[in-house]
Structures are given as C-alpha cells and as structure tokens.
Amino acid sequence: MASSDGSAIESLKHWVVRFPKGHLIFDEGDGSDCMYRLQRGCARLQVNSAQGNRQIVRFLLPGDLFGLCPTRRNTAAEAVTNVVLQRFSLKAVLEEAMGSPGISIELLGAATGDYRQLARHAEKIVHLSAAEKVRDFYDWLGTRLDGAGQPAARRPPMPQRDIADYLGIAPETLSRCIRLVRSQRASATLHAA
C-alpha cells in the first residue's frame, strides 16, 4: 500500500524523531538497525579520515531516504539544521520488501539514485572549474527545493563551509565564485529584459 505521496515505504510503521542542528544522527562504522526519511530540514552524509578531515558526500533534503546499510554505516549523518525524520526499523522494512514489489522497487530506486548522484558529484569535482561547481550546486539546490514544494531560499540551508567541503574547494574560493555566479546571472537577466 502506497501513501498519498506515492511512497510504499511511507505506509510502514515508523517513528518520528527530531535532532537539533549539529547533532550526530549516526556515525560511520556504527551498527545499522534502522533507516530514515528526512521530513524537514537538512542533513549531510560524510566520511571522516583518521586525521580528522571530512568529505561531505551528500546533502539530504526533505523526501530523501538514507541509512539503508545492511550491517555497518558507511558514512556519518549529521543534522545541518534542526531536522525531523521518519525512523524505520531496517529489519521490518526488509521483511516487508520480501513480499512487496513496491517497497523493493522504492529501495532499489533510492539506492540507484544515490549511486547516480555520487557518481555525478565525483565527475563534477574532477572536471568542472570552481565557478562551474558552484553554479551547478546552486542549480541543483534550487531544483530540489522547488521539487520539495519549498520556496527557493536566498540562502541555502547549509553553511558555506559545508558547501565548500562538498565541492572540494576552499571557503574563500567559494565566496569569490558565489559573487561571480550572482553577477553573471544578474547580467544575463538584464540582457534578457
């Protein structure tokens, strides 16, 4: 049975949980007994080195499923803003998936989408200039916020330091690129009018 938003997983028993901004939802290497769907706010997935460095691999926005790991967490998840999540028992989800093509297809679709997004992110990090990375990121964010029914915000829900870490550029470079992209868009708008 699917919910009104078309999600078969939504119909499964779940608990609503809240985490404040900056709170660790789970850590890399932790055992995995549940998965989540973000209802409100913004979270990030990251991997951490033994030296204390981090690489943000994904920003999570409303509607995103995350934390589907069979035994151990392969990333850490942290609340970027105050978040509201749906928490699903991993065992119950997998048991239901055995008899429900809708749930199985939704899980496969989410995993495939995650892989596609990570592959595209890696390709952009390697091949795009800093300004192109910033332009692409803000285009993606605007599309995602519009798709979630949220007004396009003047400021993204994540701090610039997180965006810089995600894009693999220095915070100072990010600031310069944001100014450049804004001026290019303003100029393009003036010429179009």
Side-chain angles (χ1 to χ4, degrees), residues 55 121 125 133 163-170:
Q55 176 60 56
H121 177 64
I125 292 298
K133 290 176 191 180
I163 297 169
D165 286 353
Y166 177 69
L167 297 176
I169 59 179

Side-chain angles (χ1 to χ4, degrees), residues 18 47 99-100 112 145 147 171 173:
R18 291 171 170 76
V47 291
S100 170
T112 302
L145 293 177
T173 302

Side-chain angles (χ1 to χ4, degrees), residues 2-193:
S3 73
S4 60
D5 73 352
S7 169
I9 292 173
E10 287 293 311
S11 66
L12 298 177
K13 183 177 179 179
H14 59 272
W15 298 263
V16 174
V17 294
R18 291 171 170 76
F19 291 97
K21 176 182 177 177
H23 192 282
L24 188 65
I25 299 166
F26 56 77
D27 203 0
E28 189 175 0
D30 285 353
S32 180
D33 65 349
C34 64
M35 59 180 278
Y36 300 92
R37 181 183 301 276
L38 187 67
Q39 286 187 305
R40 192 169 42 241
C42 176
R44 67 177 171 251
L45 297 179
Q46 65 190 44
V47 291
N48 303 301
S49 73
Q51 296 76 29
N53 299 319
R54 71 174 180 175
Q55 176 60 56
I56 296 173
V57 295
R58 183 172 178 207
F59 287 110
L60 302 161
L61 298 170
D64 287 340
L65 280 173
F66 67 103
L68 176 60
C69 302
T71 55
R72 297 257 173 238
R73 303 288 186 190
N74 52 19
T75 62
E78 187 172 315
V80 173
T81 64
N82 294 335
V83 296
V84 178
L85 307 169
Q86 293 173 311
R87 183 181 190 271
F88 299 88
S89 160
L90 186 56
K91 180 180 179 192
V93 169
L94 295 176
E95 285 174 358
E96 285 291 325
M98 299 293 278
S100 170
I103 292 172
S104 298
I105 290 168
E106 188 173 347
L107 291 173
L108 182 59
T112 302
D114 290 349
Y115 178 76
R116 181 177 48 249
Q117 184 177 345
L118 183 59
R120 287 186 178 159
H121 177 64
E123 186 270 332
K124 290 171 186 174
I125 292 298
V126 171
H127 297 290
L128 296 182
S129 70
E132 290 170 324
K133 290 176 191 180
V134 171
R135 186 178 306 108
D136 182 75
F137 175 78
Y138 279 94
D139 288 346
W140 168 83
L141 184 61
T143 301
R144 280 299 314 275
L145 293 177
D146 288 345
Q150 297 180 6
R154 288 193 82 203
R155 288 184 21 179
M158 63 286 293
Q160 283 194 357
R161 176 62 194 235
D162 282 5
I163 297 169
D165 286 353
Y166 177 69
L167 297 176
I169 59 179
E172 299 80 13
T173 302
L174 175 65
S175 294
R176 282 192 302 274
C177 290
I178 289 171
R179 286 191 300 275
L180 174 67
V181 168
R182 283 181 181 156
S183 72
Q184 288 172 344
R185 287 186 176 173
S187 176
T189 301
L190 286 175
H191 292 305

